[in-house]
Amino acid sequence: MKDPVAKELISRHLESGEMTPGEEIAIRVDQTLTQDATGTLVMQELEAMNLDRAQTEVSVQYVDHNLLQADEKNAEDHAFLRSACRRYGLWFSKPGNGVSHPTHMKRFGKPGKTLIGSDSHTCAGGSLGMLAIGVGGLEVASGIAGEPLYLRMPEIWGIRLEGELPQWVSAKDVILEMLRRHGVKGGLNRIIEYHGPGLASLTAMDRHVIANMGAELGATASVFPADDAVREFLRAEGREDDFSELVAEDADYDVTDEIDLSALEPLIAKPSSPGNVVPVREVAGEPVSQVVIGSSANPGLRDFAIAAAIVKGRQTGDAVSFDVNPSSREIFADLTKMGATLDLISAGARIHQAGCMGCIGMGQAPAAGANSLRTFPRNFPGRSGTKEDSVWLCSPETAAAAALTGVITDPRDLPEKVGVEYPELDLPEESTVNTDMLVAPLEADEAQSEELVRGPNISALPDFEPLPDRIEAPVLLKVGDDISTDEISPAGARALPFRSNIPKLAEFTYTQVSEDYPERAKKIAESTGHVIVAGENYGQGSSREHAAITPRYLGLHAVIAKSFARIHWQNLANFGVLALEFTNADDYDRIDEDDTLVLDGLRDLLPGGPDAEVHNTTKDEKYPLRHRLSERQVEAVLAGGRIPLLARR
């Protein structure tokens, strides 16, 4: 049997370690991707590391999140990012050019390459036969500087696809079916590899939809083969010379599953988790006040064109706000050439600029408690910008059906309900190619004289003290399962403009869970500091390292949880926060908020092995703990984070 595509990709880039699941490996980084909500910290990290010039084949900074310029703050970030790209040798994608993942796929993606990005949905690049992994910003900064990516070797999870999707069912329903079966933790410590005869009917952009939301399963990456569908995609983009075949038939996988595409039906994720998936017919009739088409989770021309064809010649419901966020200027141009933009406008659509927009809570906030159907990847509580939101995730077909009827509607019922037959799309064979808004790196000698443009809202990275040998601190917060980084460090138009200002952003930390957490944490930050206790899958969702930095800035020393999401676990180590897991999950129930916990002898204990113990002095009880940190990560935690170590490189 052949190795899976994922193993072949790792083998080609392996710099150290054994490819045994659970063992730490290091892989060479070919490309990096940053976006503006996380990229400003990456550039500050490059500055702290005294980097001379990017060492990767390609590194690109996209401006696709913080596009709502209500004041000067986001514009300052954009100027800072442009200057950093000029200084360090990165490409710069100008504001409004497009969402990072589909734009990178169209302009820079190459089969056989590795790509890491400071956005959890970087895994979408796996649609082209790449090993594409979402990581924290410090991992990206290290990759730009020429360091390998360190990670635990994942299991390879083979998903065999059979059959062909029926009418009214599309790629979004495939990944929703995965989430229905396996939930938001199903892919933890796994790479998902799709294979089988069902691939033949899925375009490269269909695969992007599926690979993108592998992040919602908690997967390290999602991988598709580089086959004829990938060749055709690159040909349409004018880049067929970048194609190289990478396939694996009859490969041997660590874990297996199978999906019959022909048996799928329209699915929808109910509020407020991507894993809360049910058939659309089960919730049909629920009133809808907003429908939003766009995001990196449904970014292709086909996704917009099918929605336009469904609403063509009709007016959307009078109680429905129908919003369209083009994923790139190139796709918007093709949509317009087809006449589909006019169809959308005539149906009542509000066309917004090319970018993430409502997906990250930058505008398009729904009314409290009113149902909003979105073709987005996430619906965590409050992520939309509305605290009491009710966001559902679905395909463009299901979204367009709701826009027409004003209620959640199985799109298969549209012929009977409103006389809309399944549209046959005639998509262009050649894609619009517009590289004018991609600014190439300066030559090395010219870049040396560039100064960083730092507005008043851009702070320096905070210096953190080394981890104390003894922690004696209260449990300031106890939270449950599946706490997302959105809940730790919220998105939205109120907080996002402060992404480059850690002291100010810290004021928003955990306010969706406990409004007075920042104030309580500040009071004891310089004395005892504090501890957080959590349930399963702590830190799921976005890769934003702000969710580690701002609690650390407020005095967080340790998080004790039943389990951690991969990227956040790494981010905690990067910024000197000790991540420990309960050996016995039931001990979680024995700890209450305000209990005082003691962790002693850490400088000898952590390097010595995975076992530890915490003493709850309030109840006079002790609980065994473990950590999964490598020697390298232990060194970083004890030093107060990786930046001091990297600055000495």
Side-chain angles (χ1 to χ4, degrees):
M1 286 205 174
K2 290 188 66 175
D3 277 341
V5 171
K7 276 192 176 178
E8 175 66 21
L9 287 165
I10 293 171
S11 178
R12 290 183 185 183
H13 293 83
L14 189 67
E15 295 206 345
S16 67
E18 298 292 330
M19 291 169 51
T20 302
E23 294 297 313
E24 186 175 70
I25 59 173
I27 57 174
R28 186 176 70 257
V29 176
D30 297 325
Q31 301 184 358
T32 70
L33 169 161
T34 45
Q35 39 89 334
D36 49 317
T38 56
T40 53
L41 283 182
V42 173
M43 301 309 157
Q44 289 171 288
E45 288 156 0
L46 295 179
E47 182 184 24
M49 292 160 57
N50 300 313
L51 180 71
D52 181 42
R53 187 169 179 83
Q55 300 298 303
T56 47
E57 295 177 10
V58 173
S59 286
V60 190
Q61 169 65 56
Y62 295 89
V63 181
D64 61 354
H65 279 60
N66 291 353
L67 299 176
L68 198 64
Q69 292 176 223
D71 57 26
E72 76 286 353
K73 297 183 186 67
N74 286 341
E76 288 176 3
D77 275 1
H78 302 167
F80 173 72
L81 289 169
R82 176 182 175 274
S83 70
C85 288
R86 291 170 65 85
R87 171 62 187 86
Y88 298 119
L90 282 72
W91 286 80
F92 180 67
S93 179
K94 294 168 65 176
N97 185 44
V99 177
S100 59
H101 310 301
T103 305
H104 196 91
M105 179 182 173
K106 289 163 76 67
R107 300 276 59 84
F108 297 103
K110 285 187 180 182
K113 298 294 184 180
T114 54
L115 165 68
I116 63 173
S118 60
D119 187 291
S120 56
H121 294 115
T122 301
C123 52
S127 56
L128 292 186
M130 302 178 74
L131 183 64
I133 303 176
V135 295
L138 197 49
E139 265 70 51
V140 175
S142 301
I144 293 172
E147 299 286 335
L149 173 68
Y150 292 90
L151 72 158
R152 299 284 184 184
M153 177 66 191
E155 292 182 315
I156 312 300
W157 186 11
I159 308 294
R160 181 177 175 84
L161 301 180
E162 300 276 0
E164 187 173 340
L165 292 171
Q167 292 183 348
W168 302 108
V169 178
S170 60
K172 187 62 159 280
D173 298 303
V174 179
I175 191 61
L176 288 175
E177 171 65 10
M178 286 287 289
L179 284 156
R180 185 189 68 80
R181 293 185 186 187
H182 304 291
V184 295
K185 300 186 288 289
L188 191 62
N189 299 319
R190 291 176 174 176
I191 292 175
I192 305 172
E193 181 166 318
Y194 295 90
H195 64 103
L199 288 176
S201 63
L202 297 176
T203 68
M205 199 56 85
D206 289 335
R207 299 173 186 190
H208 178 113
V209 173
I210 298 168
N212 176 286
M213 286 185 64
E216 274 53 71
L217 285 155
T220 302
S222 297
V223 171
F224 284 84
D227 55 13
D228 288 343
V230 174
R231 183 196 296 273
E232 174 56 27
F233 172 83
L234 291 172
R235 184 205 62 76
E237 296 294 333
R239 296 202 297 123
E240 190 172 2
D241 288 347
D242 286 338
F243 176 76
S244 58
E245 186 175 76
L246 184 57
V247 298
E249 296 180 2
D250 299 320
D252 187 20
Y253 297 99
D254 298 313
V255 188
T256 62
D257 199 358
E258 184 173 309
I259 296 177
D260 180 359
L261 300 178
S262 64
L264 294 183
E265 62 179 311
L267 297 171
I268 193 167
K270 299 165 60 177
S272 292
S273 169
N276 194 11
V277 177
V278 298
V280 174
R281 280 197 172 146
E282 188 174 305
V283 290
E286 289 274 352
V288 173
S289 70
Q290 184 189 55
V291 167
V292 192
I293 307 285
S295 88
S296 66
N298 275 106
L301 177 62
R302 182 255 172 217
D303 297 319
F304 295 97
I306 193 76
I310 290 171
V311 301
K312 181 178 181 179
R314 291 170 170 80
Q315 181 60 218
T316 52
D318 63 338
V320 178
S321 174
F322 183 34
D323 296 70
V324 176
N325 300 340
S327 52
S328 76
R329 288 188 172 230
E330 294 175 328
I331 287 172
F332 194 21
D334 282 333
L335 197 68
T336 303
K337 290 175 185 176
M338 294 173 59
T341 301
L342 181 59
D343 294 335
L344 289 166
I345 292 172
S346 299
R350 303 161 66 189
I351 311 293
H352 301 267
Q353 62 179 306
C356 294
M357 305 305 294
C359 185
I360 196 68
M362 295 299 282
Q364 300 165 320
N371 291 324
S372 173
L373 267 62
R374 302 177 167 210
T375 64
F376 292 178
R378 291 183 176 140
N379 58 344
F380 300 137
R383 179 180 169 89
S384 67
T386 299
K387 188 172 183 180
E388 301 297 331
D389 59 9
S390 180
V391 174
W392 309 60
L393 308 177
C394 63
S395 69
E397 293 90 336
T398 298
L404 281 181
T405 62
V407 297
I408 296 178
T409 301
D410 189 317
R412 295 173 298 179
D413 295 336
L414 284 180
E416 178 183 348
K417 287 184 178 294
V418 293
V420 174
E421 299 297 329
Y422 185 73
E424 295 294 333
L425 299 179
D426 184 18
L427 301 178
E429 294 186 3
E430 309 289 336
S431 299
T432 291
V433 176
N434 177 2
T435 59
D436 291 342
M437 292 186 69
L438 284 168
V439 183
L442 295 178
E443 294 296 330
D445 56 347
E446 190 179 358
Q448 294 298 314
S449 61
E450 284 293 315
E451 298 288 337
L452 297 182
V453 177
R454 193 188 300 274
N457 190 48
I458 298 175
S459 69
L461 286 171
D463 290 325
F464 295 131
E465 294 294 321
L467 188 77
D469 188 53
R470 175 185 171 88
I471 297 171
E472 183 171 354
V475 176
L476 203 62
L477 204 60
K478 182 179 180 182
V479 293
D481 295 343
D482 300 324
I483 288 294
S484 74
T485 49
D486 279 89
E487 291 167 287
I488 303 171
S489 183
R494 290 180 60 244
L496 274 178
F498 297 106
R499 289 297 187 182
S500 309
N501 186 338
I502 296 303
K504 182 64 177 177
L505 187 65
E507 297 175 10
F508 295 87
T509 307
Y510 258 125
T511 51
Q512 290 183 197
V513 175
S514 175
E515 289 189 0
D516 63 349
Y517 168 84
E519 181 181 350
R520 290 187 294 130
K522 281 181 184 177
K523 289 179 179 178
I524 58 173
E526 298 299 322
S527 54
T528 63
H530 68 277
V531 175
I532 288 175
V533 171
E536 299 279 2
N537 200 31
Y538 181 77
Q540 70 161 331
S542 166
S543 63
R544 68 192 70 160
E545 56 192 356
H546 306 82
I549 297 173
T550 60
R552 178 70 185 90
Y553 178 81
L554 293 171
L556 176 66
H557 287 309
V559 179
I560 303 174
K562 293 181 182 179
S563 66
F564 291 86
R566 174 184 61 88
I567 302 177
H568 188 63
W569 170 75
Q570 177 67 73
N571 284 342
L572 290 171
N574 284 346
F575 292 95
V577 178
L578 180 58
L580 296 166
E581 294 180 343
F582 289 103
T583 302
N584 303 314
D586 290 345
D587 287 339
Y588 165 87
D589 298 318
R590 304 177 70 86
I591 301 177
D592 296 315
E593 279 192 15
D594 297 325
D595 283 0
T596 296
L597 302 184
V598 175
L599 293 155
D600 206 358
L602 294 173
R603 298 200 158 269
D604 291 330
L605 183 65
L606 292 178
D611 297 327
E613 185 178 70
V614 64
H615 182 196
N616 185 338
T617 60
T618 303
K619 295 184 170 68
D620 194 21
E621 297 175 342
K622 295 182 178 181
Y623 319 119
L625 305 172
R626 60 174 178 253
H627 73 78
R628 295 185 289 112
L629 302 172
S630 66
E631 291 182 11
R632 181 183 51 83
Q633 290 167 319
V634 167
E635 182 185 12
V637 170
L638 293 177
R642 282 184 67 205
I643 290 178
L645 303 177
L646 291 168
R648 300 198 297 263
R649 53 185 300 280

